[in-house]
């Protein structure tokens, strides 16, 4: 058999060149492929990377992989339709706070896109052609198939990243094979630079803002008009629409169809103007608990209740004024849009950790001293955890990075800073693939009570060790209580469940995220840190859900099953040897 000949760069990647616009010359293409080969360590690995990207996302994704990309510092261009101008202003205002310039355009430029800048395309289905380098902001509702055509999915796949305001949508997009790494949760928030209403000279009782032409909206508006003076605001955008909204005492939000998601873009735009809103609940209402007591929600389809609520606000001036003040106070709270946008910028190394922490630490308001690290984009994992959360565990929206384990480390670094800032003596932190067995509640309560009254210093109690080393030293601990025997341990590897004493906070948040060596994962860093005093009990307090998918390593959790079993057996062996010595 003849040996396979070595192929030149351009022949290796020729199958991926499907459109004229991918590269202007083969030489430029070869250069970029050569850079990728150098980065990956070999031509073969570079080829396999291109092949995998092509299989999952098509030729445009290969282009995005290999084309020289503009630097974010060059600025962003926000391409938007007029009806999402408010969203574009959220971007420009937030980017300006981190020193990144941006501009807004409403159509494809006559001379073509500026290829030296990143574009954020809001509602990409509204535009026939896309820029060379773009991030798509997907704004449609997955409960309706109206816009989700093959052509639209192609635009989403070609995007470097996809923002979505709804976790329900993100779950839908994942089912349609958009990769987890490409999807980023970006909920709508308050545009704080928006001028609010200063006068109380209203011309209308009620304003409706949006397309009034669906049958159910027509029915609602007809019945509302029989009771109140109603202004319908449609096909009017920007300041003109805001001027009209300010003339109404109340804004109503009515779904286009029965099972619609909550129209948060419209709601937050009106809240930015300090408007009192009466809205139907969304089918995704549990995602929007932050709007409780700020927006007046009624059951879906209940016109009579909506009329009753509007009548209440119109006839109770003091309550009306109180609600407007509550909305004004809400507008001053740390904004979730900025938190999640800066979270994305951090994940791309566009801003550093200190910048992110300084801008976003006030947004995080923990409840209690038991937290769960969970990525919002891991929708199924997060929902599965919610079903098992019988312990009032507060969920921290985990940070991300292009390299998964770096995002994990950034999350713990941030949480330790928050715990220290909050003055917490200790904090329990689990991850959302933790498994709580039937004995957990009783054992956890006893362990926590013992640690609360411990007179001996400790740093971290570990509820599970995934990969216990033979070199681990187990010694008796002076901390003892009830039915649990505690042992000191000099190596801790696993973050599925730990209790952190305040002594450990600074030891953990000094982890350096700029060290990108794989031995610098946060659990390995803790294992190798010489000044951390660990505690363990046996059997392990918690387990690990094998059916879940690891967001760090992109593999099924079953890879940990045998490791954990070996770790438990080794721990018991070392404990037995220790007790036999005494």
């Amino acid at each position: 058999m003849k040996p396979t000949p070595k192929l030149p760069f351009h022949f290796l990647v020729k199958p991926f060149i499907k459109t004229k616009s991918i590269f202007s010359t083969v030489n430029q293409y070869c250069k970029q492929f050569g850079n990728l080969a150098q980065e990956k360590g070999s031509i073969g690995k570079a080829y396999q990377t291109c092949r995998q990207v092509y299989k999952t996302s098509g030729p445009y994704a290969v282009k995005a992989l290999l084309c020289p990309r503009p630097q974010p510092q060059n600025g962003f261009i926000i391409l938007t339709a007029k009806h999402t101008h408010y969203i574009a202003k959220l971007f420009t205002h937030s980017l300006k706070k981190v020193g990144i310039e941006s501009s807004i355009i409403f159509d494809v430029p006559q001379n073509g896109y500026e290829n030296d800048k990143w574009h954020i395309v809001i509602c990409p289905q509204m535009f026939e052609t896309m820029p060379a380098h773009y991030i798509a902001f997907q704004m449609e509702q997955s409960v309706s198939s109206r816009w989700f055509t093959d052509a639209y999915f192609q635009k989403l796949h070609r995007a470097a990243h996809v923002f979505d305001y709804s976790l329900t949508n993100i779950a839908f997009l994942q089912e349609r094979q958009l990769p987890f790494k490409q999807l980023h949760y970006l909920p709508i928030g308050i545009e704080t630079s928006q001028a609010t209403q200063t006068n109380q000279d209203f011309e209308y009782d009620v304003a409706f803002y949006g397309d009034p032409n669906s049958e159910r909206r027509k029915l609602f508006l007809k019945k509302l008009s029989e009771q109140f003076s109603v202004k319908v605001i449609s096909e009017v955008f920007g300041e003109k629409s805001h001027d009209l909204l300010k003339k109404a005492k109340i804004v109503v939000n009515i779904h286009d169809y029965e099972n619609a998601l909550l129209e948060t873009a419209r709601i937050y735009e009106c809240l930015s103007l300090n408007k009192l809103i009466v809205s139907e609940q969304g089918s995704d209402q549990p995602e929007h608990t932050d709007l409780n007591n700020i927006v007046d929600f009624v059951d879906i389809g209940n016109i009579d209740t909506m009329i009753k609520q509007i009548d209440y606000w119109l006839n109770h001036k003091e309550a009306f004024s109180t609600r407007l003040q509550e909305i004004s106070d809400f507008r001053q709270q740390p904004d979730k849009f900025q938190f999640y946008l800066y979270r994305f910028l951090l994940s791309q190394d566009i801003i550093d950790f200190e910048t992110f922490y300084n801008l976003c630490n006030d947004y995080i308001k923990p409840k209690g001293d038991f937290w769960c690290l969970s990525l919002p984009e891991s929708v199924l994992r997060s929902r599965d955890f919610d079903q098992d959360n019988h312990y009032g565990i507060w969920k921290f929206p985990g940070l991300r990075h292009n390299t998964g384990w770096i995002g994990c480390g950034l999350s713990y670094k941030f949480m330790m800073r928050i715990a220290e800032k909050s003055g917490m003596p200790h904090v329990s932190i689990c991850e959302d693939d933790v498994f709580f067995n039937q004995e957990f509640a009783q054992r956890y309560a006893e362990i926590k009570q013992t640690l609360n009254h411990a007179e001996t210093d400790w740093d971290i109690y570990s509820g599970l060790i995934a990969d216990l080393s033979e070199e681990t030293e187990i010694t008796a601990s002076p901390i003892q209580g009830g039915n649990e025997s505690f042992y000191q341990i000099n190596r801790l590897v696993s973050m599925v469940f730990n209790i952190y004493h305040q002594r450990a906070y600074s030891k953990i948040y000094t982890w350096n995220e700029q060290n990108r060596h794989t031995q610098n994962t946060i659990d390995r860093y803790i294992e190798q840190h010489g000044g951390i005093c660990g505690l363990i009990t046996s059997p392990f307090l918690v387990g690990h859900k094998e059916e879940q998918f690891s967001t760090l390593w992109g593999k099924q959790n079953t890879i940990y099953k045998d490791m954990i079993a070996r770790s438990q057996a080794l721990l018991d062996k070392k404990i037995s040897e220790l007790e036999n010595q005494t």
Side-chain angles (χ1 to χ4, degrees), residues 180 340 343 371-386 394-400 411-412 415 429-433 551:
F180 171 86
Y340 283 97
R343 173 180 179 259
W371 306 349
C372 172
L373 171 60
S374 180
L375 293 177
E377 296 87 354
S378 298
V379 182
L380 297 183
R381 268 181 58 154
S382 183
R383 289 175 180 172
D384 188 66
F385 173 81
D386 290 341
W394 172 79
K395 282 201 299 189
F396 169 74
L399 307 184
R400 291 181 63 177
S411 297
Y412 280 96
M415 288 189 290
I429 300 178
C430 67
E431 297 184 348
D432 61 6
D433 55 355
T551 54

Side-chain angles (χ1 to χ4, degrees), residues 452-465:
N452 282 342
H453 295 91
E455 297 180 358
T456 302
D457 289 339
W458 62 279
D459 290 309
I460 301 175
Y461 166 83
S462 180
L464 176 71
I465 296 181

Side-chain angles (χ1 to χ4, degrees), residues 550-566:
S550 172
T551 54
L552 259 69
W553 306 111
K555 298 179 180 179
Q556 202 73 24
N557 274 350
T558 48
I559 62 174
Y560 295 109
K561 180 180 178 180
D562 292 340
M563 291 172 59
I564 292 172
R566 287 195 298 269

